[in-house]
Amino acid sequence: MHFIEVILPLSLPKTFTYSVSEAEYNYIKIGMRVAVPFGKSKIYTGLVLDLHQIPPTLYEAKEIHQILDEKPIINEFQIQHWQWIASYYMCNLGDVFRGAMPSAFILESETIISQKKDFNVNESDLSDDEFLIFEALQHQSSLKVQDISAILNKKNIFPIVQKLLNKNVLSLQEEMQDEYKPKLIRYIRLHEDYTSDESLISLLDSLNGAKQKELLLHYFQLNAQERKPISVKQLTEIAQSTSVTIKALIDKNIFEEYYIQEDRVNFDKNKTDNNLVLSEAQQKTFVEIKESFLSRDVSLLHGVTSSGKTEIYTKLIEEYIAQGEQVLYLLPEIALTTQLVSRLTAHFGNQVAVFHSKYSNNERVEVWNQVLENSEKAKIVIGARSSLFLPFSNLGLIIIDEEHEQTFKQQDPAPRYHARDAAIVLANLQKAKVLLGSATPSIETYFNAQSGKFGMISISERFGKAPLPEVELVDLKENYFKKRMKGHFSLTLIEAITEALSLGEQIILFQNRRGFSPVLECMTCGHIPQCTSCNVSLTYHKFKNQLRCHYCGYSIAKPTNCHACSSVDISAKGFGTEQIELELAELFPTKNIKRMDQDTTRGKYSFEKLIDSFKNREIDILVGTQMLAKGLDFDNVSLVGIMNADTMLYHPDFRAFERSFQMMTQVSGRAGRSDKRGKVIIQTYNVNHNVIQQVTHNDYVGMYNEQLYERQIYKYPPYFRLIKLTLKHKDFDKLKEGSMWLYQVMQQHLQLPVLGPEEPGINRIRNEYIRTIMVKIPQNVSIPNTKKTIQKILNSFDVIPQYRTIKVTANVDFY
Ligand code: ADP
Ligand code: ZN
Ligand code: ZN
């Protein structure tokens, strides 16, 4: 009797036992995948966690369908790491399994596949089975994996589907709506007729246009210098020529044009920048980091914006890969990878890989396998939080840039992990070092550094010794009173914008929209239109003339009269980025103004496109939300305006002051990055507010000390750990009763501060009512024991018949 223990990609608290033959038993290793039947008729991809000879007691073990791998695709480190995540973040191992793997690795019978739109395959390269599937998809737009099973009259079809995915013939449903469309860059090269010297000389003689000749000479020069593809943009810039001249040469068959995907270009490229020289301050910091790592596994690099942290990381990475170790570079935002990839590939060439949830399954599988094989092609992996789950086996260093960013915490679905904290655990398993970098560290991290748990290194000099921007405060109360305002713009801000524009410089305007969306209000009765399924006011979108719910997407046309009293006197209240954009267009009608927020960056790569055209100076003024605050590097921005600082400050959240400081400091850091000192104008009703003053004087430590004091008094991190339970149900009374039961039982059993059950500000989303309960765990109380008790209580809650349908989720270290 031979058995294996299998994790399924389902949110279930247990592993499952399957029986295998002796031959299979000898072949299977921990970390391989198997296709297994589950429930009445479903097939899932499971992961082998253990092999043993003990039959299950509660059910009869089913046989597996098939072994899917020839060798493990998950290693022991990962399994241990997953187990830690499941236990620390109070979720199931299956949740972590599902969250950790590219979905092409976990096919199931219900998975829907379709044919790729622009696939490129020779039909004769397909096996008979593959061809049958291919053909079936000529007649139907999509198929379930289990339909394929019927077509082929086979049970074991995951490997065939997998092969077709790898051949780029099929795609999974999740990819279908939104296929990966990388940006294409236009390049030119000399036509092959002109590769010999004689032909070149006669070509130059034959050209009579001076412009064309000059362009060609510039091309030769570039080609000799760089030995890498030459883009049309690069050539026109250097030759100060136009695309018309290039086109003339293409038409004459002297140049050929071709296209390369932007993020692939970098991989094909040779290193271009081998001689990175650190400034004195950077070099000193670099040495201090290495010293710190002698005694500490985790260190914080606290460096002002534009101190060149990336360059310091680069030098550090060099040392780790020279020892053959792997390096993981985590970023808070996928959109930031493009910039970083070009910077790092310039230095490390094709040792850099990127792991992206926006990449196709294929590409993700490719990177996964490279990391698994410890390949030279993926010595350095850049990615957002999910790249933490790649099969590293020889990690030397994890860099977490902008470590304070809340996007490192996964909110939904489980596992609700914090990538920074999970990275520290992973590094510990592999004896690797962790470097956390930020100009505005989180209170938690700075606390750990102060208490000696983490090492700390500071750099307060900007690269090129550029001074920090000058901050000017504009008192909105006074300016409204003195009528020095046009719409939401103070005359001070308008003047500064005008001046910057006249110098050809660019401007960033920041408007935090959180809790401050424009709504329509009836001036007669005060009614504000609400969403029908969420308790939230509808947001007014002027451009589409619509009211929209930001939680569920419900929308209606802008009403002409009030739904409550029929009055026609309704007007917009509050302002968002859209309104700022409109006001700007009136103030500066000839300038190119663009907006960057969730609405304008919904499409794939729309964020990158905006950033690119801003970098290329095609945009004069960029208006945006907090997206702008995330470590972007622009060299021509001389002015940053913060439209209204107060909305951030008064957000109902214990981190509001910390975040306001971080956000304002980070956006300010985008100003004046080249030789010129930048300027920041903050419009606020509270010029004397401590946080505003701390931002003005770049006083991180002042902010930290003040917040730390408050956190202690009000029982928040880092002094207390928070676990938030969220309960949801369609029936308001049932939810109220159930959450009260849970609260009371927790009160009795925990001897800890338990708060709630609270109705959040938005207490109904998609027709489900919401209540939350918060547990605060002080430093001297065991966290694992507390979680065990909470889990026990949740288990008993789950078996109470009338509460069984209430959904409860736990969010540990909730952000
Ligand atoms: P930070 O991440 O600390 O805000 P960056 O790493 O983005 O700063 O650096 C700011 C700018 O200064 C970038 O354009 C970068 O290329 C440049 N820079 C920093 N250090 C160096 C260096 N040692 N040599 C050349 N350029 C540098
Ligand atoms: Zn009304
Ligand atoms: Zn809604």
Side-chain angles (χ1 to χ4, degrees), residues 276-279 282 303-311 343 401-402 463 633 670 673:
L276 166 63
V277 183
L278 294 184
S279 71
Q282 289 172 336
V304 288
T305 50
S306 215
S307 50
K309 292 187 282 296
T310 320
E311 277 69 21
R343 279 171 81 174
D401 197 21
E402 311 292 346
F463 181 71
D633 180 22
R670 309 304 128 216
R673 298 186 62 132

PDB file of all heavy atoms in Angstrom, residues 276-279 282 303-311 343 401-402 463 633 670 673, ligand 1:
ATOM      1  N   LEU A 276      29.741  51.849 -13.804  1.00  0.00           N
ATOM      2  CA  LEU A 276      28.949  52.599 -12.851  1.00  0.00           C
ATOM      3  C   LEU A 276      29.881  53.042 -11.725  1.00  0.00           C
ATOM      4  O   LEU A 276      30.516  52.226 -11.077  1.00  0.00           O
ATOM      5  CB  LEU A 276      27.839  51.703 -12.299  1.00  0.00           C
ATOM      6  CG  LEU A 276      27.112  52.174 -11.061  1.00  0.00           C
ATOM      7  CD1 LEU A 276      26.371  53.462 -11.320  1.00  0.00           C
ATOM      8  CD2 LEU A 276      26.146  51.101 -10.611  1.00  0.00           C
ATOM      9  N   VAL A 277      29.970  54.318 -11.534  1.00  0.00           N
ATOM     10  CA  VAL A 277      30.842  54.830 -10.480  1.00  0.00           C
ATOM     11  C   VAL A 277      29.984  55.460  -9.394  1.00  0.00           C
ATOM     12  O   VAL A 277      29.176  56.345  -9.670  1.00  0.00           O
ATOM     13  CB  VAL A 277      31.824  55.891 -11.039  1.00  0.00           C
ATOM     14  CG1 VAL A 277      32.776  56.348  -9.952  1.00  0.00           C
ATOM     15  CG2 VAL A 277      32.582  55.318 -12.219  1.00  0.00           C
ATOM     16  N   LEU A 278      30.163  54.977  -8.186  1.00  0.00           N
ATOM     17  CA  LEU A 278      29.383  55.533  -7.094  1.00  0.00           C
ATOM     18  C   LEU A 278      29.992  56.856  -6.646  1.00  0.00           C
ATOM     19  O   LEU A 278      31.212  57.030  -6.668  1.00  0.00           O
ATOM     20  CB  LEU A 278      29.344  54.562  -5.915  1.00  0.00           C
ATOM     21  CG  LEU A 278      28.621  53.233  -6.128  1.00  0.00           C
ATOM     22  CD1 LEU A 278      28.593  52.438  -4.828  1.00  0.00           C
ATOM     23  CD2 LEU A 278      27.203  53.434  -6.641  1.00  0.00           C
ATOM     24  N   SER A 279      29.122  57.739  -6.211  1.00  0.00           N
ATOM     25  CA  SER A 279      29.629  58.978  -5.624  1.00  0.00           C
ATOM     26  C   SER A 279      30.251  58.630  -4.267  1.00  0.00           C
ATOM     27  O   SER A 279      30.079  57.522  -3.757  1.00  0.00           O
ATOM     28  CB  SER A 279      28.485  59.970  -5.422  1.00  0.00           C
ATOM     29  OG  SER A 279      27.659  59.518  -4.367  1.00  0.00           O
ATOM     30  N   GLN A 282      27.647  57.633  -1.841  1.00  0.00           N
ATOM     31  CA  GLN A 282      27.082  56.317  -2.175  1.00  0.00           C
ATOM     32  C   GLN A 282      28.061  55.198  -1.804  1.00  0.00           C
ATOM     33  O   GLN A 282      27.656  54.159  -1.269  1.00  0.00           O
ATOM     34  CB  GLN A 282      26.762  56.252  -3.675  1.00  0.00           C
ATOM     35  CG  GLN A 282      25.568  57.109  -4.076  1.00  0.00           C
ATOM     36  CD  GLN A 282      25.399  57.183  -5.588  1.00  0.00           C
ATOM     37  OE1 GLN A 282      26.344  56.997  -6.346  1.00  0.00           O
ATOM     38  NE2 GLN A 282      24.180  57.459  -6.026  1.00  0.00           N
ATOM     39  N   GLY A 303      17.257  56.456   2.647  1.00  0.00           N
ATOM     40  CA  GLY A 303      17.953  57.398   1.775  1.00  0.00           C
ATOM     41  C   GLY A 303      16.994  58.383   1.163  1.00  0.00           C
ATOM     42  O   GLY A 303      15.952  57.979   0.635  1.00  0.00           O
ATOM     43  N   VAL A 304      17.331  59.645   1.199  1.00  0.00           N
ATOM     44  CA  VAL A 304      16.423  60.657   0.650  1.00  0.00           C
ATOM     45  C   VAL A 304      16.127  60.337  -0.813  1.00  0.00           C
ATOM     46  O   VAL A 304      16.895  59.630  -1.475  1.00  0.00           O
ATOM     47  CB  VAL A 304      17.014  62.099   0.714  1.00  0.00           C
ATOM     48  CG1 VAL A 304      17.040  62.604   2.120  1.00  0.00           C
ATOM     49  CG2 VAL A 304      18.382  62.159   0.056  1.00  0.00           C
ATOM     50  N   THR A 305      15.028  60.877  -1.312  1.00  0.00           N
ATOM     51  CA  THR A 305      14.679  60.664  -2.715  1.00  0.00           C
ATOM     52  C   THR A 305      15.833  61.156  -3.569  1.00  0.00           C
ATOM     53  O   THR A 305      16.450  62.174  -3.265  1.00  0.00           O
ATOM     54  CB  THR A 305      13.414  61.460  -3.103  1.00  0.00           C
ATOM     55  OG1 THR A 305      13.574  62.809  -2.678  1.00  0.00           O
ATOM     56  CG2 THR A 305      12.179  60.884  -2.452  1.00  0.00           C
ATOM     57  N   SER A 306      16.128  60.370  -4.601  1.00  0.00           N
ATOM     58  CA  SER A 306      17.165  60.760  -5.550  1.00  0.00           C
ATOM     59  C   SER A 306      18.589  60.646  -5.003  1.00  0.00           C
ATOM     60  O   SER A 306      19.514  61.234  -5.543  1.00  0.00           O
ATOM     61  CB  SER A 306      16.935  62.199  -6.025  1.00  0.00           C
ATOM     62  OG  SER A 306      17.328  62.301  -7.352  1.00  0.00           O
ATOM     63  N   SER A 307      18.762  59.874  -3.938  1.00  0.00           N
ATOM     64  CA  SER A 307      20.125  59.671  -3.446  1.00  0.00           C
ATOM     65  C   SER A 307      20.843  58.624  -4.294  1.00  0.00           C
ATOM     66  O   SER A 307      22.041  58.411  -4.151  1.00  0.00           O
ATOM     67  CB  SER A 307      20.113  59.257  -1.969  1.00  0.00           C
ATOM     68  OG  SER A 307      19.217  58.202  -1.753  1.00  0.00           O
ATOM     69  N   GLY A 308      20.090  57.987  -5.185  1.00  0.00           N
ATOM     70  CA  GLY A 308      20.710  56.977  -6.038  1.00  0.00           C
ATOM     71  C   GLY A 308      20.723  55.616  -5.367  1.00  0.00           C
ATOM     72  O   GLY A 308      21.700  54.876  -5.449  1.00  0.00           O
ATOM     73  N   LYS A 309      19.629  55.276  -4.705  1.00  0.00           N
ATOM     74  CA  LYS A 309      19.552  53.975  -4.045  1.00  0.00           C
ATOM     75  C   LYS A 309      19.694  52.847  -5.066  1.00  0.00           C
ATOM     76  O   LYS A 309      20.345  51.842  -4.810  1.00  0.00           O
ATOM     77  CB  LYS A 309      18.232  53.857  -3.276  1.00  0.00           C
ATOM     78  CG  LYS A 309      18.159  54.807  -2.080  1.00  0.00           C
ATOM     79  CD  LYS A 309      16.936  54.574  -1.211  1.00  0.00           C
ATOM     80  CE  LYS A 309      15.663  55.158  -1.784  1.00  0.00           C
ATOM     81  NZ  LYS A 309      15.665  56.637  -1.892  1.00  0.00           N
ATOM     82  N   THR A 310      19.113  53.054  -6.236  1.00  0.00           N
ATOM     83  CA  THR A 310      19.178  52.015  -7.260  1.00  0.00           C
ATOM     84  C   THR A 310      20.629  51.681  -7.623  1.00  0.00           C
ATOM     85  O   THR A 310      20.977  50.522  -7.839  1.00  0.00           O
ATOM     86  CB  THR A 310      18.431  52.469  -8.526  1.00  0.00           C
ATOM     87  OG1 THR A 310      17.248  53.143  -8.115  1.00  0.00           O
ATOM     88  CG2 THR A 310      18.077  51.310  -9.401  1.00  0.00           C
ATOM     89  N   GLU A 311      21.455  52.703  -7.694  1.00  0.00           N
ATOM     90  CA  GLU A 311      22.861  52.479  -8.030  1.00  0.00           C
ATOM     91  C   GLU A 311      23.565  51.701  -6.920  1.00  0.00           C
ATOM     92  O   GLU A 311      24.391  50.833  -7.185  1.00  0.00           O
ATOM     93  CB  GLU A 311      23.576  53.809  -8.285  1.00  0.00           C
ATOM     94  CG  GLU A 311      23.382  54.351  -9.696  1.00  0.00           C
ATOM     95  CD  GLU A 311      21.959  54.809  -9.994  1.00  0.00           C
ATOM     96  OE1 GLU A 311      21.214  55.091  -9.023  1.00  0.00           O
ATOM     97  OE2 GLU A 311      21.602  54.871 -11.173  1.00  0.00           O
ATOM     98  N   ARG A 343      17.267  49.963 -16.545  1.00  0.00           N
ATOM     99  CA  ARG A 343      18.461  50.362 -15.789  1.00  0.00           C
ATOM    100  C   ARG A 343      19.328  49.162 -15.428  1.00  0.00           C
ATOM    101  O   ARG A 343      20.543  49.204 -15.538  1.00  0.00           O
ATOM    102  CB  ARG A 343      18.056  51.124 -14.529  1.00  0.00           C
ATOM    103  CG  ARG A 343      17.742  52.590 -14.820  1.00  0.00           C
ATOM    104  CD  ARG A 343      17.133  53.305 -13.646  1.00  0.00           C
ATOM    105  NE  ARG A 343      18.108  53.757 -12.661  1.00  0.00           N
ATOM    106  CZ  ARG A 343      17.780  54.518 -11.614  1.00  0.00           C
ATOM    107  NH1 ARG A 343      16.538  54.924 -11.445  1.00  0.00           N
ATOM    108  NH2 ARG A 343      18.692  54.878 -10.747  1.00  0.00           N
ATOM    109  N   ASP A 401      12.448  47.549  -2.493  1.00  0.00           N
ATOM    110  CA  ASP A 401      12.523  48.984  -2.705  1.00  0.00           C
ATOM    111  C   ASP A 401      11.175  49.604  -2.368  1.00  0.00           C
ATOM    112  O   ASP A 401      10.139  48.997  -2.598  1.00  0.00           O
ATOM    113  CB  ASP A 401      12.902  49.266  -4.162  1.00  0.00           C
ATOM    114  CG  ASP A 401      13.399  50.694  -4.330  1.00  0.00           C
ATOM    115  OD1 ASP A 401      13.809  51.301  -3.327  1.00  0.00           O
ATOM    116  OD2 ASP A 401      13.366  51.198  -5.459  1.00  0.00           O
ATOM    117  N   GLU A 402      11.186  50.812  -1.841  1.00  0.00           N
ATOM    118  CA  GLU A 402       9.978  51.508  -1.400  1.00  0.00           C
ATOM    119  C   GLU A 402       9.223  50.617  -0.412  1.00  0.00           C
ATOM    120  O   GLU A 402       8.030  50.382  -0.548  1.00  0.00           O
ATOM    121  CB  GLU A 402       9.069  51.862  -2.589  1.00  0.00           C
ATOM    122  CG  GLU A 402       9.766  52.546  -3.763  1.00  0.00           C
ATOM    123  CD  GLU A 402      10.258  53.953  -3.457  1.00  0.00           C
ATOM    124  OE1 GLU A 402       9.841  54.521  -2.441  1.00  0.00           O
ATOM    125  OE2 GLU A 402      11.081  54.461  -4.229  1.00  0.00           O
ATOM    126  N   PHE A 463      22.031  62.507  -5.292  1.00  0.00           N
ATOM    127  CA  PHE A 463      23.087  62.327  -6.282  1.00  0.00           C
ATOM    128  C   PHE A 463      23.325  63.647  -7.014  1.00  0.00           C
ATOM    129  O   PHE A 463      22.396  64.315  -7.413  1.00  0.00           O
ATOM    130  CB  PHE A 463      22.752  61.233  -7.283  1.00  0.00           C
ATOM    131  CG  PHE A 463      23.845  61.040  -8.290  1.00  0.00           C
ATOM    132  CD1 PHE A 463      25.047  60.472  -7.915  1.00  0.00           C
ATOM    133  CD2 PHE A 463      23.683  61.469  -9.599  1.00  0.00           C
ATOM    134  CE1 PHE A 463      26.070  60.317  -8.829  1.00  0.00           C
ATOM    135  CE2 PHE A 463      24.711  61.314 -10.523  1.00  0.00           C
ATOM    136  CZ  PHE A 463      25.900  60.740 -10.133  1.00  0.00           C
ATOM    137  N   ASP A 633      11.262  58.300 -11.778  1.00  0.00           N
ATOM    138  CA  ASP A 633      12.420  59.171 -11.922  1.00  0.00           C
ATOM    139  C   ASP A 633      12.270  60.007 -13.198  1.00  0.00           C
ATOM    140  O   ASP A 633      12.359  59.498 -14.289  1.00  0.00           O
ATOM    141  CB  ASP A 633      13.669  58.265 -11.983  1.00  0.00           C
ATOM    142  CG  ASP A 633      14.938  59.063 -12.130  1.00  0.00           C
ATOM    143  OD1 ASP A 633      14.934  60.252 -11.769  1.00  0.00           O
ATOM    144  OD2 ASP A 633      15.928  58.499 -12.614  1.00  0.00           O
ATOM    145  N   ARG A 670       9.811  64.126  -6.582  1.00  0.00           N
ATOM    146  CA  ARG A 670       9.847  64.100  -8.056  1.00  0.00           C
ATOM    147  C   ARG A 670      10.294  65.445  -8.611  1.00  0.00           C
ATOM    148  O   ARG A 670      10.516  65.577  -9.806  1.00  0.00           O
ATOM    149  CB  ARG A 670       8.473  63.772  -8.672  1.00  0.00           C
ATOM    150  CG  ARG A 670       7.757  62.547  -8.152  1.00  0.00           C
ATOM    151  CD  ARG A 670       8.549  61.279  -8.246  1.00  0.00           C
ATOM    152  NE  ARG A 670       8.562  60.627  -6.943  1.00  0.00           N
ATOM    153  CZ  ARG A 670       9.595  59.959  -6.443  1.00  0.00           C
ATOM    154  NH1 ARG A 670      10.701  59.847  -7.118  1.00  0.00           N
ATOM    155  NH2 ARG A 670       9.535  59.415  -5.255  1.00  0.00           N
ATOM    156  N   ARG A 673      14.986  67.039 -10.069  1.00  0.00           N
ATOM    157  CA  ARG A 673      15.951  65.956  -9.913  1.00  0.00           C
ATOM    158  C   ARG A 673      17.228  66.203 -10.710  1.00  0.00           C
ATOM    159  O   ARG A 673      18.216  65.552 -10.472  1.00  0.00           O
ATOM    160  CB  ARG A 673      15.308  64.635 -10.283  1.00  0.00           C
ATOM    161  CG  ARG A 673      14.134  64.334  -9.364  1.00  0.00           C
ATOM    162  CD  ARG A 673      13.582  62.984  -9.602  1.00  0.00           C
ATOM    163  NE  ARG A 673      14.578  61.979  -9.321  1.00  0.00           N
ATOM    164  CZ  ARG A 673      14.364  60.905  -8.590  1.00  0.00           C
ATOM    165  NH1 ARG A 673      13.204  60.719  -8.018  1.00  0.00           N
ATOM    166  NH2 ARG A 673      15.300  60.021  -8.409  1.00  0.00           N
TER     167      ARG A 673
HETATM  168  P1  ADP B   1      16.429  57.074  -5.505  1.00  0.00           P
HETATM  169  O1  ADP B   1      15.949  55.697  -5.859  1.00  0.00           O
HETATM  170  O2  ADP B   1      17.309  57.106  -4.302  1.00  0.00           O
HETATM  171  O3  ADP B   1      15.319  58.091  -5.438  1.00  0.00           O
HETATM  172  P2  ADP B   1      17.676  56.942  -8.066  1.00  0.00           P
HETATM  173  O4  ADP B   1      18.393  55.659  -7.876  1.00  0.00           O
HETATM  174  O5  ADP B   1      16.439  56.926  -8.898  1.00  0.00           O
HETATM  175  O6  ADP B   1      17.369  57.592  -6.669  1.00  0.00           O
HETATM  176  O7  ADP B   1      18.716  57.996  -8.657  1.00  0.00           O
HETATM  177  C1  ADP B   1      18.349  59.296  -9.030  1.00  0.00           C
HETATM  178  C2  ADP B   1      19.015  59.682 -10.343  1.00  0.00           C
HETATM  179  O8  ADP B   1      20.424  59.871 -10.181  1.00  0.00           O
HETATM  180  C3  ADP B   1      18.837  58.652 -11.425  1.00  0.00           C
HETATM  181  O9  ADP B   1      18.558  59.288 -12.645  1.00  0.00           O
HETATM  182  C4  ADP B   1      20.170  57.943 -11.459  1.00  0.00           C
HETATM  183  O10 ADP B   1      20.436  57.398 -12.724  1.00  0.00           O
HETATM  184  C5  ADP B   1      21.153  59.029 -11.078  1.00  0.00           C
HETATM  185  N1  ADP B   1      22.317  58.477 -10.364  1.00  0.00           N
HETATM  186  C6  ADP B   1      22.347  58.102  -9.075  1.00  0.00           C
HETATM  187  N2  ADP B   1      23.559  57.617  -8.725  1.00  0.00           N
HETATM  188  C7  ADP B   1      24.324  57.674  -9.833  1.00  0.00           C
HETATM  189  C8  ADP B   1      25.692  57.335 -10.129  1.00  0.00           C
HETATM  190  N3  ADP B   1      26.510  56.831  -9.195  1.00  0.00           N
HETATM  191  N4  ADP B   1      26.143  57.554 -11.390  1.00  0.00           N
HETATM  192  C9  ADP B   1      25.310  58.063 -12.331  1.00  0.00           C
HETATM  193  N5  ADP B   1      24.033  58.400 -12.124  1.00  0.00           N
HETATM  194  C10 ADP B   1      23.522  58.226 -10.893  1.00  0.00           C
END
